Amino acid sequence: MSYVHGYTTRETQRLLEQSLILEDLLHTGTSFLKGERVLEAGCGVGAQTRILARRNPDAIFECVDISQEFIEQARGVAMQEGIENVTFIQADLYSLSYKPESFDHVFVCFVLEHLPDPAFALKIFKQVLKPGGSITLIEGDHGSGFWTPETGKSRMVWKGLIDSQIELGHDPNIGRRVFPLLNDAGFVIRDVSPRWIYADQSNPVLLNSVIHQIIAPMVYSAEKQVLDSAYMEQDDWDRGLTDIREVARHPEGTFFYTWFKGEGIKP
Amino acid sequence: MSYVHGYTTRETQRLLEQSLILEDLLHTGTSFLKGERVLEAGCGVGAQTRILARRNPDAIFECVDISQEFIEQARGVAMQEGIENVTFIQADLYSLSYKPESFDHVFVCFVLEHLPDPAFALKIFKQVLKPGGSITLIEGDHGSGFWTPETGKSRMVWKGLIDSQIELGHDPNIGRRVFPLLNDAGFVIRDVSPRWIYADQSNPVLLNSVIHQIIAPMVYSAEKQVLDSAYMEQDDWDRGLTDIREVARHPEGTFFYTWFKGEGIKP
């Protein structure tokens, strides 16, 4: 499976750091009760898993990812943190072996953007949900991102990030489709809302975190894919990525980005 | 002066309706005390004026616009609503005749996007402010807008709106520059925040208001400018604008748009 962010240790670090910065933004409003079974579909290195497990210590999580490497890293993180209410399983989301109606909830975060057929994945998630069970869907929208100062090269780099995901057959702007996707899959929509982050130089600590722990690493993680696709020369890429990093210390630096979070109920 | 939205009665109606829908979103956090003098720079047809006057009945407003036609409409609205704490004056913002340090506050809403030199305007506003006085700046960012379903023609129309403002020498994406502009002008930033609106078909009444009272009329108001600039043919324009309106009743309709509100203090 092609995964635009790659599978490196540095990338694992980014995913873990990013998840803590975004915890309140993304997890507020999501809670699971004692004994409820939750499927985390596409758990990756367990960045969201450890937050879910900590916030919902009495729920039981089954966390699935297609990458054996990610699953092993996720197990390592869970062991380090003493998390006991989670089982990790390597599996393809398109061919899950769970019986229908096995779960009370399904949690999907930053996953559908990496799938060629997100609608099909949602059908599967719906199948393994009990009637009355809920799905939580969180996806970013790269088309929502902008910043100041915007140099030509920084804009090229961002466009490279978007185009390289499109070339893989994925949708980098899937955030805006959270409502249509849930709706199409036949879920009853409980809520869809934008979860945005805005930072400027009046709060340099926040701006620094946003740039250096979320945005620049996210862009950097697509470097190989973008350069392989020949969208950009290495020099332009380097300059553009530097320009994005410079936003963090530029006196007029600002960054804005929006994720969308949706919750649907299986009728 | 070229004004992308034109000067028609239908447009006046739009500006008045839009202002009420956005009142909480844009005015929350802004209040002026008894006896304080407030300059509303670029009051237009008085859409924000009547809200300001109602929410701050003990402050004294001087509201300036370059268009004599707008000023007369604004006076009519104020008279109809029995507003007494407001004076309307036709004047060019670039050459205000107020003495330096005349005002406790300056309020600027949806104005800088229509000026070729917003930085210069801010200098003038700063001049007429007392030391310690505040400026409130609210601007939209057309680059922040997206929707589903997005047809090719609806995207063309949105691009036409943006390009036609650029051709006038204005910045349709000025929202993201609220922080840099205030900062450049030497204000101490108290706060800059995105003020977004998101609506989808799970709330058809809100979605309908957003599309039919804010978005579609805003786009429509640029029609002449866009067609005159030959960015688009009439047929494509009509189709694209219809597609935007259809978002309001499409089962998968969503719309997202962000304004930015900033407050700065004159040192």
Side-chain angles (χ1 to χ4, degrees):
Chain A
M1 182 191 164
S2 309
Y3 181 67
V4 71
H5 299 320
Y7 297 93
T8 67
T9 311
R10 183 164 169 184
E11 172 63 2
T12 300
Q13 196 52 41
R14 162 181 94 86
L15 293 167
L16 294 176
E17 283 176 358
Q18 169 186 276
S19 63
L20 290 182
I21 299 173
L22 298 180
E23 176 174 339
D24 283 345
L25 189 70
L26 302 181
H27 286 264
T28 297
T30 299
S31 63
F32 306 120
L33 302 177
K34 184 166 183 170
E36 288 186 328
R37 290 190 74 210
V38 185
L39 171 67
E40 187 192 5
C43 64
V45 298
Q48 304 301 326
T49 314
R50 60 182 183 159
I51 295 172
L52 287 169
R54 170 165 46 75
R55 294 172 74 107
N56 304 278
D58 300 323
I60 301 150
F61 292 91
E62 304 236 0
C63 302
V64 171
D65 202 276
I66 197 168
S67 156
Q68 185 62 39
E69 203 180 324
F70 275 1
I71 286 292
E72 276 158 26
Q73 291 186 39
R75 278 196 190 116
V77 169
M79 201 170 302
Q80 263 179 13
E81 306 203 356
I83 293 169
E84 295 186 338
N85 54 337
V86 172
T87 310
F88 292 100
I89 299 139
Q90 187 278 324
D92 186 341
L93 295 179
Y94 285 171
S95 52
L96 292 176
S97 59
Y98 295 107
K99 277 189 227 154
E101 310 189 358
S102 300
F103 292 96
D104 298 290
H105 305 284
V106 176
F107 182 87
V108 191
C109 183
F110 307 159
V111 173
L112 296 195
E113 62 167 319
H114 300 299
L115 298 183
D117 191 351
F120 183 66
L122 284 175
K123 272 188 197 164
I124 293 171
F125 302 155
K126 196 177 164 206
Q127 223 163 38
V128 300
L129 261 181
K130 295 177 188 168
S134 74
I135 183 166
T136 301
L137 182 55
I138 303 173
E139 297 290 338
D141 193 300
H142 291 351
S144 76
F146 50 78
W147 57 94
T148 62
E150 183 196 290
T151 63
K153 296 273 163 71
S154 64
R155 176 48 61 186
M156 273 175 75
V157 158
W158 193 260
K159 194 172 174 308
L161 174 72
I162 288 174
D163 290 344
S164 66
Q165 269 191 263
I166 292 172
E167 188 172 282
L168 289 175
H170 308 163
D171 185 356
N173 299 341
I174 199 164
R176 68 193 66 177
R177 288 173 57 210
V178 164
F179 174 81
L181 281 166
L182 287 174
N183 195 56
D184 261 1
F187 289 101
V188 176
I189 309 286
R190 191 182 275 173
D191 187 55
V192 175
S193 59
R195 306 284 170 121
W196 53 269
I197 198 158
Y198 169 75
D200 62 39
Q201 207 55 273
S202 65
N203 186 343
V205 175
L206 178 63
L207 183 62
N208 203 63
S209 287
V210 168
I211 298 295
H212 289 299
Q213 296 182 281
I214 301 178
I215 300 299
M218 177 175 83
V219 175
Y220 172 77
S221 68
E223 179 179 83
K224 190 171 178 310
Q225 174 70 24
V226 174
L227 297 179
D228 285 355
S229 314
Y231 287 123
M232 291 182 76
E233 301 293 328
Q234 179 84 50
D235 282 1
D236 288 341
W237 172 269
D238 291 345
R239 181 69 251 164
L241 186 50
T242 299
D243 289 351
I244 288 173
R245 290 192 176 115
E246 292 283 320
V247 165
R249 58 177 189 178
H250 193 284
E252 299 185 351
T254 69
F255 211 103
F256 181 68
Y257 186 91
T258 304
W259 295 264
F260 286 82
K261 178 174 180 175
E263 198 187 355
I265 306 295
K266 176 174 172 175
Chain B
M1 180 192 166
S2 308
Y3 180 67
V4 70
H5 298 318
Y7 297 93
T8 65
T9 310
R10 185 165 167 180
E11 174 62 1
T12 300
Q13 195 52 37
R14 163 181 94 87
L15 293 166
L16 296 175
E17 281 176 0
Q18 169 186 276
S19 63
L20 290 182
I21 299 175
L22 299 179
E23 176 173 340
D24 284 344
L25 188 70
L26 302 181
H27 285 265
T28 297
T30 299
S31 62
F32 306 120
L33 302 177
K34 184 167 182 168
E36 288 186 330
R37 286 190 76 211
V38 185
L39 172 66
E40 188 192 4
C43 63
V45 298
Q48 304 301 325
T49 312
R50 60 180 184 160
I51 295 172
L52 288 168
R54 171 165 44 78
R55 294 173 74 106
N56 304 279
D58 299 324
I60 301 150
F61 293 90
E62 304 235 1
C63 302
V64 170
D65 202 276
I66 197 168
S67 156
Q68 184 62 39
E69 201 180 324
F70 274 1
I71 287 292
E72 277 158 27
Q73 291 185 39
R75 275 193 192 121
V77 170
M79 199 170 301
Q80 262 178 13
E81 305 204 355
I83 294 169
E84 294 186 338
N85 54 336
V86 172
T87 310
F88 292 99
I89 298 140
Q90 187 279 324
D92 186 342
L93 294 179
Y94 285 169
S95 53
L96 292 175
S97 59
Y98 296 106
K99 277 188 227 156
E101 310 189 357
S102 301
F103 291 96
D104 298 290
H105 305 284
V106 176
F107 182 88
V108 191
C109 183
F110 309 158
V111 173
L112 296 195
E113 61 167 319
H114 299 300
L115 298 183
D117 192 351
F120 184 67
L122 284 174
K123 272 188 196 164
I124 293 172
F125 302 155
K126 197 176 164 206
Q127 223 164 38
V128 299
L129 260 182
K130 296 176 187 167
S134 74
I135 183 167
T136 301
L137 182 55
I138 303 172
E139 296 289 340
D141 193 298
H142 291 350
S144 75
F146 50 78
W147 58 92
T148 63
E150 184 196 289
T151 63
K153 296 273 163 70
S154 65
R155 175 48 62 187
M156 275 176 75
V157 157
W158 194 260
K159 193 171 176 307
L161 174 72
I162 288 175
D163 290 344
S164 66
Q165 267 188 267
I166 292 172
E167 187 171 283
L168 290 175
H170 308 162
D171 184 357
N173 299 341
I174 199 164
R176 67 192 68 175
R177 289 173 58 210
V178 163
F179 174 82
L181 282 165
L182 288 174
N183 195 57
D184 262 1
F187 289 101
V188 177
I189 308 285
R190 189 182 276 175
D191 186 55
V192 176
S193 59
R195 306 283 170 123
W196 52 270
I197 198 159
Y198 169 75
D200 62 36
Q201 206 55 273
S202 65
N203 186 343
V205 174
L206 177 63
L207 183 61
N208 202 63
S209 287
V210 168
I211 297 297
H212 289 300
Q213 296 182 281
I214 301 177
I215 299 299
M218 177 175 83
V219 174
Y220 173 76
S221 68
E223 178 180 84
K224 190 173 178 310
Q225 174 70 24
V226 175
L227 296 180
D228 284 355
S229 314
Y231 286 122
M232 291 182 76
E233 301 293 329
Q234 178 86 50
D235 280 0
D236 287 342
W237 172 269
D238 290 345
R239 182 68 251 166
L241 186 49
T242 299
D243 288 352
I244 288 173
R245 290 191 176 118
E246 292 282 321
V247 165
R249 59 177 188 175
H250 194 284
E252 298 185 352
T254 70
F255 212 102
F256 182 68
Y257 185 93
T258 304
W259 295 263
F260 285 82
K261 177 174 181 175
E263 198 188 357
I265 307 294
K266 177 175 173 174

